[in-house]
Amino acid sequence: MKMNIILMGPPGAGKGTAAKQLKEAFNLVHISTGDMFREAIKEGTELGKLAKTFIDRGDLVPDDVTIGIVKERLAKKDCENGFLLDGFPRTLVQAEALDKLSKEINREIDTVINLECEQDELVRRISGRRVCKNCGAPYHIETMKPKVDGVCDICGGPLFQRADDNEEALKVRLHHYVESTKPLLEYYEKLGLLKNFNSLVGAKTLFDEISQYLKA
């Protein structure tokens, strides 16, 4: 089944888990903005070199450069049987540009899956995250506890909480996400591409519901 999908949702809604499941079940190429930047830089494309100058300075990569890199990536042969875009588009300008370029390269978007989740639950999920400082293995103080408190099961490294995973920082991030995402959701709803899913149902049920929708 060939499907070109955009996956949207706030931090903590379960996009990472859903993306992994969908990639495997539907044989999709999973593409994130970070992956695209890293690949373009590694390959030394002109746009990759340009993006690197912004990234090295700690600046956001401008829309026109990001859009160009997306076009390069989606035009590759491995995307011809379907892809899952994660982390792009982030702005209305990017969404409109994606609509145009996807038609140019015959990779039009089939559907936009948006994972919804209440803010209190997002804060609970993300503020409970812990990460191993050595190997990067993920944990959660409620749902994925290590065998020994504060110690990684895999390598024995110390676990820590990322600076932006605290409750106050999260509320600011979520506010910005809602503000920037609302126009995108309205844009895709008008195009008849948007489908909302409640991510509170749990990873397995959520995957089953999305799968049924995609197969219908």
Side-chain angles (χ1 to χ4, degrees):
M1 180 190 295
K2 178 184 174 182
M3 294 288 291
N4 298 330
I5 302 167
I6 295 173
L7 182 63
M8 297 180 66
K15 292 196 303 299
T17 301
K20 184 179 178 183
Q21 292 172 324
L22 292 170
K23 173 189 173 182
E24 293 172 356
F26 293 92
N27 194 29
L28 302 170
V29 177
H30 178 212
I31 305 170
S32 73
T33 310
D35 290 342
M36 284 185 288
F37 287 147
R38 282 188 290 274
E39 189 166 339
I41 291 168
K42 183 180 177 182
E43 291 182 356
T45 69
E46 289 305 311
L47 285 168
K49 291 174 184 175
L50 187 56
K52 189 176 187 297
T53 64
F54 292 99
I55 293 168
D56 287 349
R57 292 201 303 263
D59 295 333
L60 289 174
V61 180
D63 278 346
D64 59 338
V65 179
T66 302
I67 291 161
I69 286 176
V70 171
K71 186 174 182 179
E72 282 184 344
R73 182 64 187 89
L74 297 188
K76 291 190 174 182
K77 189 172 177 59
D78 65 344
C79 289
E80 66 184 15
N81 292 319
F83 57 82
L84 182 68
L85 261 180
D86 180 2
F88 183 91
R90 291 182 184 272
T91 65
L92 193 54
V93 170
Q94 290 179 357
E96 291 170 343
L98 176 61
D99 185 39
K100 183 180 177 183
L101 74 86
S102 65
K103 289 186 172 88
E104 290 174 0
I105 61 175
N106 196 29
R107 300 275 199 274
E108 292 185 56
I109 301 300
D110 295 301
T111 189
V112 178
I113 292 170
N114 179 49
L115 305 185
E116 298 180 314
C117 191
E118 295 173 0
Q119 180 169 308
D120 289 347
E121 174 62 13
L122 293 172
V123 170
R124 185 194 70 80
R125 289 181 183 183
I126 301 178
S127 60
R129 284 178 179 171
R130 298 294 184 270
V131 181
C132 175
K133 190 166 283 188
N134 292 345
C135 71
Y139 294 88
H140 194 280
I141 60 174
E142 295 178 14
T143 59
M144 201 186 296
K145 298 178 181 179
K147 292 173 184 174
V148 178
D149 189 34
V151 179
C152 177
D153 294 345
I154 299 169
C155 72
L159 304 185
F160 75 105
Q161 182 182 37
R162 288 179 176 142
D164 60 350
D165 278 353
N166 68 74
E167 188 168 340
E168 290 309 309
L170 272 171
K171 286 180 178 177
V172 174
R173 280 167 63 197
L174 291 171
H175 173 74
H176 288 312
Y177 175 83
V178 170
E179 289 297 306
S180 64
T181 305
K182 190 175 179 182
L184 283 180
L185 298 179
E186 291 173 350
Y187 175 77
Y188 285 119
E189 190 166 30
K190 286 177 182 176
L191 291 177
L193 296 176
L194 183 69
K195 179 65 177 176
N196 295 310
F197 289 90
N198 179 4
S199 72
L200 288 173
V201 297
K204 186 182 183 304
T205 302
L206 177 63
F207 171 68
D208 290 342
E209 290 179 355
I210 295 174
S211 294
Q212 288 172 13
Y213 165 69
L214 294 177
K215 291 174 182 176

